[in-house]
């Protein structure tokens, strides 16, 4: 991947997502199936996902979330919808990210195989959380 513009262009559009979550606190192995969209906005991309939880202790609930991806000076800043920072990473075929939520540390790994696929894995450890989440994204055609 040559740079920010290649990543931005490669992510635009619709994706099918499959997520596996192993929560060691809840002692649950859960899934989330759905769709995600990247749409252009000023300074970056808007990300939105929707889907259905399976195997979760709370039952088969629908879920959704959204972020803003900002492309600036060799980094991608991922922000919550209110504009506050979530994490940032340096674009490449692999990219690492970290986020501290209170005393819980999120360590993420992006892998980009654009234009057809990409993935994001989070390992979350701390006094309140202990889980791993692996999400695979496949291009919708």
């Amino acid at each position: 991947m040559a740079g920010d513009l290649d990543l931005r262009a490669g992510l635009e559009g619709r994706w099918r997502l499959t997520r596996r979550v192993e929560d060691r606190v809840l002692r649950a192995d859960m899934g989330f199936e759905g769709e995600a969209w990247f749409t252009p906005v000023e300074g970056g991309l808007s990300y939105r996902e929707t889907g259905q939880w399976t195997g979760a202790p709370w039952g088969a609930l629908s879920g959704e979330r959204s972020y803003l991806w900002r492309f600036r000076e060799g980094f991608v800043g991922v922000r919550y919808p209110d504009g506050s920072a979530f994490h940032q990473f340096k674009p490449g075929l692999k990219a690492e990210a970290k986020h501290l939520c209170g005393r819980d540390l999120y360590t993420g790994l992006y892998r980009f195989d654009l234009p057809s696929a990409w993935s994001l894995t989070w390992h979350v450890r701390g006094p309140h959380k202990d889980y791993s989440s692996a999400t695979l994204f496949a291009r919708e055609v």
Side-chain angles (χ1 to χ4, degrees):
M1 186 153 320
D4 296 356
L5 292 177
D6 292 337
L7 179 60
R8 183 175 173 172
L11 288 171
E12 280 186 42
R14 189 172 172 181
W15 298 87
R16 163 84 31 213
L17 76 89
T18 304
R19 180 173 296 132
R20 299 298 314 157
V21 179
E22 180 187 350
D23 192 313
R24 289 168 287 283
V25 173
L26 296 176
R27 294 189 177 120
D29 188 12
M30 302 170 277
F32 185 83
E33 302 281 329
E35 296 180 317
W37 300 265
F38 280 100
T39 54
V41 295
E42 174 108 17
L45 295 171
S46 173
Y47 171 88
R48 181 168 184 262
E49 72 178 45
T50 62
Q52 188 83 20
W53 283 99
T54 59
W58 50 80
L61 292 177
S62 296
E64 65 179 66
R65 67 173 149 194
S66 57
Y67 299 106
L68 299 170
W69 285 41
R70 301 293 187 204
F71 295 78
R72 293 198 174 93
E73 302 169 11
F75 285 90
V76 177
V78 180
R79 299 189 163 275
Y80 294 108
D82 68 3
S84 62
F86 177 23
H87 65 277
Q88 70 176 13
F89 64 90
K90 185 175 174 119
L93 295 177
K94 287 185 189 178
E96 295 181 357
K98 291 191 181 200
H99 170 71
L100 191 58
C101 181
R103 293 185 301 158
D104 298 317
L105 178 63
Y106 289 64
T107 304
L109 178 64
Y110 287 90
R111 293 178 190 263
F112 296 103
D113 187 20
L114 298 173
S116 61
W118 64 285
S119 66
L120 174 57
T121 302
W122 286 105
H123 296 287
V124 183
R125 304 280 189 275
H128 304 293
K129 299 173 186 165
D130 185 6
Y131 71 88
S132 297
S133 169
T135 307
L136 302 175
F137 296 84
R139 178 67 72 186
E140 288 272 322
V141 289

